[in-house]
Amino acid sequence: MLTYLIRRLFAVVVMLVVVMLAVFGIFFLIPKWTGVDPATMFVGKQADAEALEGIRQKLGLDDPILVQLFDFFKGVLVGRDYVSAGDTLHCSAPCFGYSFKTEQAVWPVLADRLPVTLGLAVGAAIIWLVIGLSAGVVSALRRGSIWDRAAMGLALSGVSLPIYFTGLLSLAVFSYGLGLVSNEYTPMEESFPDWFSGMILPWLTLAFLFGAMYARLTRATMLEVMGEDYIRTARAKGVPEPVVIRKHAMRSTMTPVITLLGVDLGALMGGAILTETTFSLPGLGQAVLKAIGEKDLPLILGVTLITASAVVVANLVVDLLYGVIDPRVRLA
């Protein structure tokens, strides 16, 4: 297992370097090759040549590509200095530069919003895993029953209905109408009960969409697994049915579910834009939506790196869980 872990950690480091190179190329090389000057995003298209030249020097855009690449890696890994209004500012690692609009360091802005997105993603994932797995397993074991039809019909609704519809509907019914839960976000450190109450509807709305997909995936995988030879062999040996399902069928069923969970959680760390917008949550999704509207390149770059890193790390965790679920993976 230790050798397997070392191999996966090495692969993660290589992948993160590749991600950083790709992000650098997208945000710095492609605009240059297509004739777009990033300096204009800072001061606007109406700025004179002198102002643009000053911004290029300030941001290091006139430096050779290799120097810019070195500064980019240095900023992410150890931090970098930045000159603003004659003062030299330092952004500690990870440093994604300074906002084109506010000239504030990007990382502190994202770090303030990251717990909101993390709380939303993890809370919703717990709910959709419990609901999706339970519904999928029961539907597969009672194929063709009323429960199967009802669960898959509800799952189809969850996949089909957009989040902004189910989110606004839940707000109208459970918050504005019945007053059961809060419709305002409260930081956890201020009041845990108020934070929990304000997160219930976002969790359920996000879990309704993802839980539906997990229920359908679990049902399809479970039906396939229950027809395998080793399941029939276990039953022929007199193994109790609950043991067959829990020990044999569920372990094989969990493999694609864990794969999808790693991708979904990693992607959600970049912000669940629709959910955060519907419920006015101050997470990364709201930040990147505003940055896109303002063409704030460093802020977009920071969220992109966070998302990519989260996906890579989540896939590392998934690979390790593979080794726990299926010992054959450790020998690969």
PDB file of all heavy atoms in Angstrom, residues 181-219:
ATOM      1  N   VAL A 181     -37.315  27.460   7.756  1.00  0.00           N
ATOM      2  CA  VAL A 181     -35.859  27.642   7.756  1.00  0.00           C
ATOM      3  C   VAL A 181     -35.530  29.070   7.339  1.00  0.00           C
ATOM      4  O   VAL A 181     -36.357  29.774   6.755  1.00  0.00           O
ATOM      5  CB  VAL A 181     -35.158  26.648   6.798  1.00  0.00           C
ATOM      6  CG1 VAL A 181     -35.289  25.225   7.300  1.00  0.00           C
ATOM      7  CG2 VAL A 181     -35.726  26.767   5.399  1.00  0.00           C
ATOM      8  N   SER A 182     -34.306  29.467   7.624  1.00  0.00           N
ATOM      9  CA  SER A 182     -33.860  30.817   7.285  1.00  0.00           C
ATOM     10  C   SER A 182     -33.496  30.895   5.811  1.00  0.00           C
ATOM     11  O   SER A 182     -33.092  29.906   5.196  1.00  0.00           O
ATOM     12  CB  SER A 182     -32.645  31.192   8.138  1.00  0.00           C
ATOM     13  OG  SER A 182     -32.095  32.427   7.718  1.00  0.00           O
ATOM     14  N   ASN A 183     -33.638  32.097   5.252  1.00  0.00           N
ATOM     15  CA  ASN A 183     -33.230  32.320   3.870  1.00  0.00           C
ATOM     16  C   ASN A 183     -32.014  33.237   3.780  1.00  0.00           C
ATOM     17  O   ASN A 183     -31.693  33.756   2.717  1.00  0.00           O
ATOM     18  CB  ASN A 183     -34.375  32.919   3.052  1.00  0.00           C
ATOM     19  CG  ASN A 183     -34.792  34.305   3.563  1.00  0.00           C
ATOM     20  OD1 ASN A 183     -34.543  34.635   4.725  1.00  0.00           O
ATOM     21  ND2 ASN A 183     -35.409  35.086   2.710  1.00  0.00           N
ATOM     22  N   GLU A 184     -31.336  33.433   4.907  1.00  0.00           N
ATOM     23  CA  GLU A 184     -30.160  34.288   4.961  1.00  0.00           C
ATOM     24  C   GLU A 184     -28.964  33.478   5.441  1.00  0.00           C
ATOM     25  O   GLU A 184     -29.096  32.612   6.316  1.00  0.00           O
ATOM     26  CB  GLU A 184     -30.383  35.486   5.891  1.00  0.00           C
ATOM     27  CG  GLU A 184     -31.482  36.430   5.424  1.00  0.00           C
ATOM     28  CD  GLU A 184     -31.633  37.619   6.348  1.00  0.00           C
ATOM     29  OE1 GLU A 184     -30.914  37.653   7.376  1.00  0.00           O
ATOM     30  OE2 GLU A 184     -32.465  38.499   6.054  1.00  0.00           O
ATOM     31  N   TYR A 185     -27.796  33.802   4.881  1.00  0.00           N
ATOM     32  CA  TYR A 185     -26.578  33.093   5.278  1.00  0.00           C
ATOM     33  C   TYR A 185     -25.956  33.775   6.493  1.00  0.00           C
ATOM     34  O   TYR A 185     -25.790  35.004   6.523  1.00  0.00           O
ATOM     35  CB  TYR A 185     -25.565  33.069   4.134  1.00  0.00           C
ATOM     36  CG  TYR A 185     -24.246  32.445   4.533  1.00  0.00           C
ATOM     37  CD1 TYR A 185     -24.113  31.066   4.622  1.00  0.00           C
ATOM     38  CD2 TYR A 185     -23.153  33.239   4.846  1.00  0.00           C
ATOM     39  CE1 TYR A 185     -22.916  30.481   5.008  1.00  0.00           C
ATOM     40  CE2 TYR A 185     -21.952  32.669   5.232  1.00  0.00           C
ATOM     41  CZ  TYR A 185     -21.840  31.292   5.313  1.00  0.00           C
ATOM     42  OH  TYR A 185     -20.645  30.728   5.701  1.00  0.00           O
ATOM     43  N   THR A 186     -25.615  32.983   7.490  1.00  0.00           N
ATOM     44  CA  THR A 186     -24.926  33.458   8.685  1.00  0.00           C
ATOM     45  C   THR A 186     -23.633  32.675   8.842  1.00  0.00           C
ATOM     46  O   THR A 186     -23.668  31.438   8.810  1.00  0.00           O
ATOM     47  CB  THR A 186     -25.798  33.260   9.946  1.00  0.00           C
ATOM     48  OG1 THR A 186     -27.033  33.946   9.780  1.00  0.00           O
ATOM     49  CG2 THR A 186     -25.075  33.791  11.184  1.00  0.00           C
ATOM     50  N   PRO A 187     -22.483  33.339   8.987  1.00  0.00           N
ATOM     51  CA  PRO A 187     -21.225  32.601   9.160  1.00  0.00           C
ATOM     52  C   PRO A 187     -21.291  31.656  10.362  1.00  0.00           C
ATOM     53  O   PRO A 187     -21.919  31.975  11.381  1.00  0.00           O
ATOM     54  CB  PRO A 187     -20.194  33.712   9.376  1.00  0.00           C
ATOM     55  CG  PRO A 187     -20.777  34.911   8.695  1.00  0.00           C
ATOM     56  CD  PRO A 187     -22.268  34.794   8.904  1.00  0.00           C
ATOM     57  N   MET A 188     -20.648  30.508  10.226  1.00  0.00           N
ATOM     58  CA  MET A 188     -20.691  29.493  11.276  1.00  0.00           C
ATOM     59  C   MET A 188     -20.124  30.012  12.590  1.00  0.00           C
ATOM     60  O   MET A 188     -20.636  29.683  13.672  1.00  0.00           O
ATOM     61  CB  MET A 188     -19.919  28.252  10.832  1.00  0.00           C
ATOM     62  CG  MET A 188     -20.002  27.081  11.800  1.00  0.00           C
ATOM     63  SD  MET A 188     -18.868  25.720  11.397  1.00  0.00           S
ATOM     64  CE  MET A 188     -19.458  25.282   9.768  1.00  0.00           C
ATOM     65  N   GLU A 189     -19.049  30.829  12.499  1.00  0.00           N
ATOM     66  CA  GLU A 189     -18.422  31.307  13.721  1.00  0.00           C
ATOM     67  C   GLU A 189     -19.304  32.276  14.504  1.00  0.00           C
ATOM     68  O   GLU A 189     -19.104  32.481  15.702  1.00  0.00           O
ATOM     69  CB  GLU A 189     -17.076  31.963  13.413  1.00  0.00           C
ATOM     70  CG  GLU A 189     -17.139  33.142  12.454  1.00  0.00           C
ATOM     71  CD  GLU A 189     -17.016  32.720  11.005  1.00  0.00           C
ATOM     72  OE1 GLU A 189     -17.199  31.518  10.727  1.00  0.00           O
ATOM     73  OE2 GLU A 189     -16.746  33.590  10.160  1.00  0.00           O
ATOM     74  N   GLU A 190     -20.291  32.878  13.839  1.00  0.00           N
ATOM     75  CA  GLU A 190     -21.199  33.793  14.523  1.00  0.00           C
ATOM     76  C   GLU A 190     -22.318  33.039  15.243  1.00  0.00           C
ATOM     77  O   GLU A 190     -22.651  33.350  16.385  1.00  0.00           O
ATOM     78  CB  GLU A 190     -21.805  34.789  13.526  1.00  0.00           C
ATOM     79  CG  GLU A 190     -20.796  35.766  12.955  1.00  0.00           C
ATOM     80  CD  GLU A 190     -21.450  36.792  12.056  1.00  0.00           C
ATOM     81  OE1 GLU A 190     -22.701  36.840  12.003  1.00  0.00           O
ATOM     82  OE2 GLU A 190     -20.716  37.558  11.402  1.00  0.00           O
ATOM     83  N   SER A 191     -22.919  32.075  14.549  1.00  0.00           N
ATOM     84  CA  SER A 191     -23.996  31.300  15.155  1.00  0.00           C
ATOM     85  C   SER A 191     -24.173  30.003  14.382  1.00  0.00           C
ATOM     86  O   SER A 191     -24.635  30.026  13.228  1.00  0.00           O
ATOM     87  CB  SER A 191     -25.310  32.101  15.159  1.00  0.00           C
ATOM     88  OG  SER A 191     -26.393  31.308  15.599  1.00  0.00           O
ATOM     89  N   PHE A 192     -23.812  28.878  15.010  1.00  0.00           N
ATOM     90  CA  PHE A 192     -23.941  27.598  14.315  1.00  0.00           C
ATOM     91  C   PHE A 192     -25.390  27.248  13.995  1.00  0.00           C
ATOM     92  O   PHE A 192     -25.678  26.808  12.870  1.00  0.00           O
ATOM     93  CB  PHE A 192     -23.301  26.484  15.152  1.00  0.00           C
ATOM     94  CG  PHE A 192     -23.378  25.133  14.495  1.00  0.00           C
ATOM     95  CD1 PHE A 192     -22.468  24.762  13.514  1.00  0.00           C
ATOM     96  CD2 PHE A 192     -24.386  24.229  14.845  1.00  0.00           C
ATOM     97  CE1 PHE A 192     -22.542  23.529  12.893  1.00  0.00           C
ATOM     98  CE2 PHE A 192     -24.472  22.988  14.232  1.00  0.00           C
ATOM     99  CZ  PHE A 192     -23.546  22.644  13.253  1.00  0.00           C
ATOM    100  N   PRO A 193     -26.360  27.420  14.916  1.00  0.00           N
ATOM    101  CA  PRO A 193     -27.759  27.112  14.563  1.00  0.00           C
ATOM    102  C   PRO A 193     -28.263  27.935  13.387  1.00  0.00           C
ATOM    103  O   PRO A 193     -28.956  27.399  12.507  1.00  0.00           O
ATOM    104  CB  PRO A 193     -28.526  27.433  15.853  1.00  0.00           C
ATOM    105  CG  PRO A 193     -27.521  27.284  16.940  1.00  0.00           C
ATOM    106  CD  PRO A 193     -26.234  27.780  16.349  1.00  0.00           C
ATOM    107  N   ASP A 194     -27.934  29.236  13.354  1.00  0.00           N
ATOM    108  CA  ASP A 194     -28.387  30.077  12.248  1.00  0.00           C
ATOM    109  C   ASP A 194     -27.696  29.671  10.945  1.00  0.00           C
ATOM    110  O   ASP A 194     -28.311  29.688   9.873  1.00  0.00           O
ATOM    111  CB  ASP A 194     -28.105  31.552  12.551  1.00  0.00           C
ATOM    112  CG  ASP A 194     -28.976  32.090  13.670  1.00  0.00           C
ATOM    113  OD1 ASP A 194     -30.023  31.464  13.947  1.00  0.00           O
ATOM    114  OD2 ASP A 194     -28.604  33.113  14.274  1.00  0.00           O
ATOM    115  N   TRP A 195     -26.403  29.324  11.037  1.00  0.00           N
ATOM    116  CA  TRP A 195     -25.691  28.854   9.838  1.00  0.00           C
ATOM    117  C   TRP A 195     -26.318  27.574   9.311  1.00  0.00           C
ATOM    118  O   TRP A 195     -26.557  27.441   8.101  1.00  0.00           O
ATOM    119  CB  TRP A 195     -24.226  28.596  10.191  1.00  0.00           C
ATOM    120  CG  TRP A 195     -23.451  27.901   9.112  1.00  0.00           C
ATOM    121  CD1 TRP A 195     -22.884  28.469   8.005  1.00  0.00           C
ATOM    122  CD2 TRP A 195     -23.175  26.493   9.022  1.00  0.00           C
ATOM    123  NE1 TRP A 195     -22.271  27.499   7.236  1.00  0.00           N
ATOM    124  CE2 TRP A 195     -22.436  26.280   7.823  1.00  0.00           C
ATOM    125  CE3 TRP A 195     -23.468  25.388   9.810  1.00  0.00           C
ATOM    126  CZ2 TRP A 195     -21.986  25.027   7.426  1.00  0.00           C
ATOM    127  CZ3 TRP A 195     -23.036  24.132   9.417  1.00  0.00           C
ATOM    128  CH2 TRP A 195     -22.299  23.960   8.245  1.00  0.00           C
ATOM    129  N   PHE A 196     -26.617  26.644  10.203  1.00  0.00           N
ATOM    130  CA  PHE A 196     -27.199  25.373   9.795  1.00  0.00           C
ATOM    131  C   PHE A 196     -28.574  25.588   9.175  1.00  0.00           C
ATOM    132  O   PHE A 196     -28.906  24.988   8.139  1.00  0.00           O
ATOM    133  CB  PHE A 196     -27.300  24.440  11.003  1.00  0.00           C
ATOM    134  CG  PHE A 196     -27.704  23.038  10.664  1.00  0.00           C
ATOM    135  CD1 PHE A 196     -26.749  22.108  10.276  1.00  0.00           C
ATOM    136  CD2 PHE A 196     -29.035  22.652  10.719  1.00  0.00           C
ATOM    137  CE1 PHE A 196     -27.113  20.811   9.952  1.00  0.00           C
ATOM    138  CE2 PHE A 196     -29.412  21.354  10.399  1.00  0.00           C
ATOM    139  CZ  PHE A 196     -28.446  20.435  10.013  1.00  0.00           C
ATOM    140  N   SER A 197     -29.377  26.442   9.780  1.00  0.00           N
ATOM    141  CA  SER A 197     -30.709  26.715   9.251  1.00  0.00           C
ATOM    142  C   SER A 197     -30.640  27.354   7.867  1.00  0.00           C
ATOM    143  O   SER A 197     -31.436  27.022   6.984  1.00  0.00           O
ATOM    144  CB  SER A 197     -31.476  27.631  10.219  1.00  0.00           C
ATOM    145  OG  SER A 197     -32.731  27.994   9.688  1.00  0.00           O
ATOM    146  N   GLY A 198     -29.675  28.265   7.683  1.00  0.00           N
ATOM    147  CA  GLY A 198     -29.540  28.928   6.394  1.00  0.00           C
ATOM    148  C   GLY A 198     -28.971  28.037   5.304  1.00  0.00           C
ATOM    149  O   GLY A 198     -29.115  28.351   4.109  1.00  0.00           O
ATOM    150  N   MET A 199     -28.329  26.922   5.677  1.00  0.00           N
ATOM    151  CA  MET A 199     -27.715  26.032   4.687  1.00  0.00           C
ATOM    152  C   MET A 199     -28.607  24.847   4.321  1.00  0.00           C
ATOM    153  O   MET A 199     -28.304  24.127   3.365  1.00  0.00           O
ATOM    154  CB  MET A 199     -26.384  25.496   5.226  1.00  0.00           C
ATOM    155  CG  MET A 199     -25.291  26.546   5.371  1.00  0.00           C
ATOM    156  SD  MET A 199     -24.813  27.302   3.812  1.00  0.00           S
ATOM    157  CE  MET A 199     -24.000  25.919   3.015  1.00  0.00           C
ATOM    158  N   ILE A 200     -29.711  24.639   5.033  1.00  0.00           N
ATOM    159  CA  ILE A 200     -30.554  23.463   4.780  1.00  0.00           C
ATOM    160  C   ILE A 200     -31.102  23.470   3.357  1.00  0.00           C
ATOM    161  O   ILE A 200     -30.990  22.473   2.620  1.00  0.00           O
ATOM    162  CB  ILE A 200     -31.700  23.394   5.809  1.00  0.00           C
ATOM    163  CG1 ILE A 200     -31.142  23.036   7.189  1.00  0.00           C
ATOM    164  CG2 ILE A 200     -32.737  22.364   5.379  1.00  0.00           C
ATOM    165  CD1 ILE A 200     -32.195  23.023   8.284  1.00  0.00           C
ATOM    166  N   LEU A 201     -31.693  24.583   2.929  1.00  0.00           N
ATOM    167  CA  LEU A 201     -32.272  24.633   1.585  1.00  0.00           C
ATOM    168  C   LEU A 201     -31.211  24.542   0.484  1.00  0.00           C
ATOM    169  O   LEU A 201     -31.426  23.812  -0.494  1.00  0.00           O
ATOM    170  CB  LEU A 201     -33.114  25.901   1.425  1.00  0.00           C
ATOM    171  CG  LEU A 201     -34.438  25.925   2.204  1.00  0.00           C
ATOM    172  CD1 LEU A 201     -35.215  27.202   1.895  1.00  0.00           C
ATOM    173  CD2 LEU A 201     -35.277  24.704   1.898  1.00  0.00           C
ATOM    174  N   PRO A 202     -30.076  25.249   0.583  1.00  0.00           N
ATOM    175  CA  PRO A 202     -29.030  25.038  -0.426  1.00  0.00           C
ATOM    176  C   PRO A 202     -28.541  23.598  -0.484  1.00  0.00           C
ATOM    177  O   PRO A 202     -28.324  23.052  -1.571  1.00  0.00           O
ATOM    178  CB  PRO A 202     -27.910  25.984   0.016  1.00  0.00           C
ATOM    179  CG  PRO A 202     -28.603  27.058   0.770  1.00  0.00           C
ATOM    180  CD  PRO A 202     -29.749  26.383   1.464  1.00  0.00           C
ATOM    181  N   TRP A 203     -28.369  22.958   0.667  1.00  0.00           N
ATOM    182  CA  TRP A 203     -27.945  21.555   0.692  1.00  0.00           C
ATOM    183  C   TRP A 203     -28.965  20.663  -0.016  1.00  0.00           C
ATOM    184  O   TRP A 203     -28.608  19.850  -0.866  1.00  0.00           O
ATOM    185  CB  TRP A 203     -27.801  21.071   2.133  1.00  0.00           C
ATOM    186  CG  TRP A 203     -26.539  21.529   2.806  1.00  0.00           C
ATOM    187  CD1 TRP A 203     -25.385  21.940   2.199  1.00  0.00           C
ATOM    188  CD2 TRP A 203     -26.303  21.602   4.219  1.00  0.00           C
ATOM    189  NE1 TRP A 203     -24.443  22.283   3.147  1.00  0.00           N
ATOM    190  CE2 TRP A 203     -24.979  22.082   4.381  1.00  0.00           C
ATOM    191  CE3 TRP A 203     -27.077  21.325   5.340  1.00  0.00           C
ATOM    192  CZ2 TRP A 203     -24.421  22.282   5.643  1.00  0.00           C
ATOM    193  CZ3 TRP A 203     -26.526  21.517   6.596  1.00  0.00           C
ATOM    194  CH2 TRP A 203     -25.209  21.990   6.743  1.00  0.00           C
ATOM    195  N   LEU A 204     -30.228  20.821   0.343  1.00  0.00           N
ATOM    196  CA  LEU A 204     -31.261  19.968  -0.228  1.00  0.00           C
ATOM    197  C   LEU A 204     -31.431  20.213  -1.724  1.00  0.00           C
ATOM    198  O   LEU A 204     -31.655  19.277  -2.503  1.00  0.00           O
ATOM    199  CB  LEU A 204     -32.590  20.197   0.498  1.00  0.00           C
ATOM    200  CG  LEU A 204     -32.644  19.735   1.959  1.00  0.00           C
ATOM    201  CD1 LEU A 204     -33.996  20.085   2.581  1.00  0.00           C
ATOM    202  CD2 LEU A 204     -32.378  18.239   2.069  1.00  0.00           C
ATOM    203  N   THR A 205     -31.329  21.478  -2.137  1.00  0.00           N
ATOM    204  CA  THR A 205     -31.472  21.795  -3.559  1.00  0.00           C
ATOM    205  C   THR A 205     -30.348  21.167  -4.372  1.00  0.00           C
ATOM    206  O   THR A 205     -30.594  20.556  -5.421  1.00  0.00           O
ATOM    207  CB  THR A 205     -31.478  23.319  -3.764  1.00  0.00           C
ATOM    208  OG1 THR A 205     -32.568  23.898  -3.033  1.00  0.00           O
ATOM    209  CG2 THR A 205     -31.630  23.671  -5.234  1.00  0.00           C
ATOM    210  N   LEU A 206     -29.116  21.315  -3.896  1.00  0.00           N
ATOM    211  CA  LEU A 206     -27.976  20.726  -4.597  1.00  0.00           C
ATOM    212  C   LEU A 206     -28.024  19.203  -4.524  1.00  0.00           C
ATOM    213  O   LEU A 206     -27.706  18.516  -5.507  1.00  0.00           O
ATOM    214  CB  LEU A 206     -26.681  21.253  -3.988  1.00  0.00           C
ATOM    215  CG  LEU A 206     -25.397  21.130  -4.818  1.00  0.00           C
ATOM    216  CD1 LEU A 206     -25.548  21.829  -6.159  1.00  0.00           C
ATOM    217  CD2 LEU A 206     -24.209  21.722  -4.056  1.00  0.00           C
ATOM    218  N   ALA A 207     -28.434  18.675  -3.366  1.00  0.00           N
ATOM    219  CA  ALA A 207     -28.504  17.218  -3.204  1.00  0.00           C
ATOM    220  C   ALA A 207     -29.613  16.610  -4.052  1.00  0.00           C
ATOM    221  O   ALA A 207     -29.502  15.451  -4.470  1.00  0.00           O
ATOM    222  CB  ALA A 207     -28.728  16.867  -1.734  1.00  0.00           C
ATOM    223  N   PHE A 208     -30.675  17.358  -4.321  1.00  0.00           N
ATOM    224  CA  PHE A 208     -31.764  16.845  -5.154  1.00  0.00           C
ATOM    225  C   PHE A 208     -31.270  16.558  -6.571  1.00  0.00           C
ATOM    226  O   PHE A 208     -31.619  15.548  -7.174  1.00  0.00           O
ATOM    227  CB  PHE A 208     -32.905  17.856  -5.186  1.00  0.00           C
ATOM    228  CG  PHE A 208     -34.119  17.395  -5.944  1.00  0.00           C
ATOM    229  CD1 PHE A 208     -34.700  16.161  -5.676  1.00  0.00           C
ATOM    230  CD2 PHE A 208     -34.686  18.196  -6.921  1.00  0.00           C
ATOM    231  CE1 PHE A 208     -35.833  15.738  -6.366  1.00  0.00           C
ATOM    232  CE2 PHE A 208     -35.810  17.778  -7.621  1.00  0.00           C
ATOM    233  CZ  PHE A 208     -36.381  16.548  -7.344  1.00  0.00           C
ATOM    234  N   LEU A 209     -30.425  17.454  -7.082  1.00  0.00           N
ATOM    235  CA  LEU A 209     -29.875  17.251  -8.422  1.00  0.00           C
ATOM    236  C   LEU A 209     -28.888  16.089  -8.437  1.00  0.00           C
ATOM    237  O   LEU A 209     -29.032  15.148  -9.229  1.00  0.00           O
ATOM    238  CB  LEU A 209     -29.182  18.529  -8.900  1.00  0.00           C
ATOM    239  CG  LEU A 209     -28.333  18.400 -10.165  1.00  0.00           C
ATOM    240  CD1 LEU A 209     -29.203  18.030 -11.364  1.00  0.00           C
ATOM    241  CD2 LEU A 209     -27.579  19.703 -10.439  1.00  0.00           C
ATOM    242  N   PHE A 210     -27.891  16.128  -7.567  1.00  0.00           N
ATOM    243  CA  PHE A 210     -26.847  15.106  -7.586  1.00  0.00           C
ATOM    244  C   PHE A 210     -27.360  13.764  -7.059  1.00  0.00           C
ATOM    245  O   PHE A 210     -26.948  12.706  -7.546  1.00  0.00           O
ATOM    246  CB  PHE A 210     -25.641  15.566  -6.780  1.00  0.00           C
ATOM    247  CG  PHE A 210     -24.805  16.595  -7.475  1.00  0.00           C
ATOM    248  CD1 PHE A 210     -25.056  17.946  -7.315  1.00  0.00           C
ATOM    249  CD2 PHE A 210     -23.770  16.223  -8.317  1.00  0.00           C
ATOM    250  CE1 PHE A 210     -24.294  18.897  -7.961  1.00  0.00           C
ATOM    251  CE2 PHE A 210     -23.001  17.167  -8.968  1.00  0.00           C
ATOM    252  CZ  PHE A 210     -23.264  18.506  -8.799  1.00  0.00           C
ATOM    253  N   GLY A 211     -28.232  13.792  -6.051  1.00  0.00           N
ATOM    254  CA  GLY A 211     -28.778  12.548  -5.528  1.00  0.00           C
ATOM    255  C   GLY A 211     -29.540  11.776  -6.583  1.00  0.00           C
ATOM    256  O   GLY A 211     -29.506  10.533  -6.613  1.00  0.00           O
ATOM    257  N   ALA A 212     -30.216  12.493  -7.475  1.00  0.00           N
ATOM    258  CA  ALA A 212     -30.933  11.834  -8.564  1.00  0.00           C
ATOM    259  C   ALA A 212     -29.969  11.103  -9.491  1.00  0.00           C
ATOM    260  O   ALA A 212     -30.215   9.957  -9.896  1.00  0.00           O
ATOM    261  CB  ALA A 212     -31.739  12.872  -9.345  1.00  0.00           C
ATOM    262  N   MET A 213     -28.845  11.733  -9.812  1.00  0.00           N
ATOM    263  CA  MET A 213     -27.858  11.090 -10.686  1.00  0.00           C
ATOM    264  C   MET A 213     -27.229   9.886 -10.006  1.00  0.00           C
ATOM    265  O   MET A 213     -27.010   8.840 -10.635  1.00  0.00           O
ATOM    266  CB  MET A 213     -26.784  12.114 -11.081  1.00  0.00           C
ATOM    267  CG  MET A 213     -27.308  13.242 -11.955  1.00  0.00           C
ATOM    268  SD  MET A 213     -26.006  14.307 -12.609  1.00  0.00           S
ATOM    269  CE  MET A 213     -25.440  15.100 -11.103  1.00  0.00           C
ATOM    270  N   TYR A 214     -26.950  10.002  -8.711  1.00  0.00           N
ATOM    271  CA  TYR A 214     -26.334   8.893  -7.986  1.00  0.00           C
ATOM    272  C   TYR A 214     -27.305   7.736  -7.823  1.00  0.00           C
ATOM    273  O   TYR A 214     -26.893   6.568  -7.824  1.00  0.00           O
ATOM    274  CB  TYR A 214     -25.829   9.371  -6.626  1.00  0.00           C
ATOM    275  CG  TYR A 214     -24.500  10.077  -6.703  1.00  0.00           C
ATOM    276  CD1 TYR A 214     -24.391  11.334  -7.292  1.00  0.00           C
ATOM    277  CD2 TYR A 214     -23.351   9.496  -6.210  1.00  0.00           C
ATOM    278  CE1 TYR A 214     -23.182  11.989  -7.390  1.00  0.00           C
ATOM    279  CE2 TYR A 214     -22.126  10.138  -6.287  1.00  0.00           C
ATOM    280  CZ  TYR A 214     -22.046  11.381  -6.881  1.00  0.00           C
ATOM    281  OH  TYR A 214     -20.847  12.024  -6.980  1.00  0.00           O
ATOM    282  N   ALA A 215     -28.596   8.032  -7.668  1.00  0.00           N
ATOM    283  CA  ALA A 215     -29.589   6.961  -7.553  1.00  0.00           C
ATOM    284  C   ALA A 215     -29.668   6.165  -8.854  1.00  0.00           C
ATOM    285  O   ALA A 215     -29.717   4.924  -8.833  1.00  0.00           O
ATOM    286  CB  ALA A 215     -30.954   7.561  -7.208  1.00  0.00           C
ATOM    287  N   ARG A 216     -29.669   6.865  -9.975  1.00  0.00           N
ATOM    288  CA  ARG A 216     -29.744   6.172 -11.260  1.00  0.00           C
ATOM    289  C   ARG A 216     -28.470   5.359 -11.516  1.00  0.00           C
ATOM    290  O   ARG A 216     -28.534   4.228 -12.022  1.00  0.00           O
ATOM    291  CB  ARG A 216     -29.959   7.199 -12.378  1.00  0.00           C
ATOM    292  CG  ARG A 216     -31.324   7.858 -12.328  1.00  0.00           C
ATOM    293  CD  ARG A 216     -31.392   9.104 -13.206  1.00  0.00           C
ATOM    294  NE  ARG A 216     -31.241   8.754 -14.606  1.00  0.00           N
ATOM    295  CZ  ARG A 216     -32.261   8.435 -15.409  1.00  0.00           C
ATOM    296  NH1 ARG A 216     -33.501   8.409 -14.942  1.00  0.00           N
ATOM    297  NH2 ARG A 216     -32.055   8.127 -16.684  1.00  0.00           N
ATOM    298  N   LEU A 217     -27.317   5.941 -11.186  1.00  0.00           N
ATOM    299  CA  LEU A 217     -26.060   5.219 -11.374  1.00  0.00           C
ATOM    300  C   LEU A 217     -25.992   3.990 -10.469  1.00  0.00           C
ATOM    301  O   LEU A 217     -25.585   2.903 -10.912  1.00  0.00           O
ATOM    302  CB  LEU A 217     -24.886   6.156 -11.086  1.00  0.00           C
ATOM    303  CG  LEU A 217     -23.490   5.514 -11.109  1.00  0.00           C
ATOM    304  CD1 LEU A 217     -23.161   4.996 -12.503  1.00  0.00           C
ATOM    305  CD2 LEU A 217     -22.429   6.520 -10.636  1.00  0.00           C
ATOM    306  N   THR A 218     -26.378   4.150  -9.207  1.00  0.00           N
ATOM    307  CA  THR A 218     -26.332   3.036  -8.262  1.00  0.00           C
ATOM    308  C   THR A 218     -27.275   1.910  -8.695  1.00  0.00           C
ATOM    309  O   THR A 218     -26.916   0.722  -8.637  1.00  0.00           O
ATOM    310  CB  THR A 218     -26.719   3.512  -6.850  1.00  0.00           C
ATOM    311  OG1 THR A 218     -25.829   4.558  -6.442  1.00  0.00           O
ATOM    312  CG2 THR A 218     -26.642   2.379  -5.846  1.00  0.00           C
ATOM    313  N   ARG A 219     -28.457   2.275  -9.143  1.00  0.00           N
ATOM    314  CA  ARG A 219     -29.414   1.265  -9.586  1.00  0.00           C
ATOM    315  C   ARG A 219     -28.867   0.475 -10.778  1.00  0.00           C
ATOM    316  O   ARG A 219     -28.913  -0.759 -10.804  1.00  0.00           O
ATOM    317  CB  ARG A 219     -30.739   1.921  -9.960  1.00  0.00           C
ATOM    318  CG  ARG A 219     -31.807   0.938 -10.461  1.00  0.00           C
ATOM    319  CD  ARG A 219     -33.061   1.677 -10.875  1.00  0.00           C
ATOM    320  NE  ARG A 219     -34.112   0.749 -11.281  1.00  0.00           N
ATOM    321  CZ  ARG A 219     -34.252   0.268 -12.504  1.00  0.00           C
ATOM    322  NH1 ARG A 219     -33.370   0.615 -13.465  1.00  0.00           N
ATOM    323  NH2 ARG A 219     -35.243  -0.566 -12.796  1.00  0.00           N
TER     324      ARG A 219
END
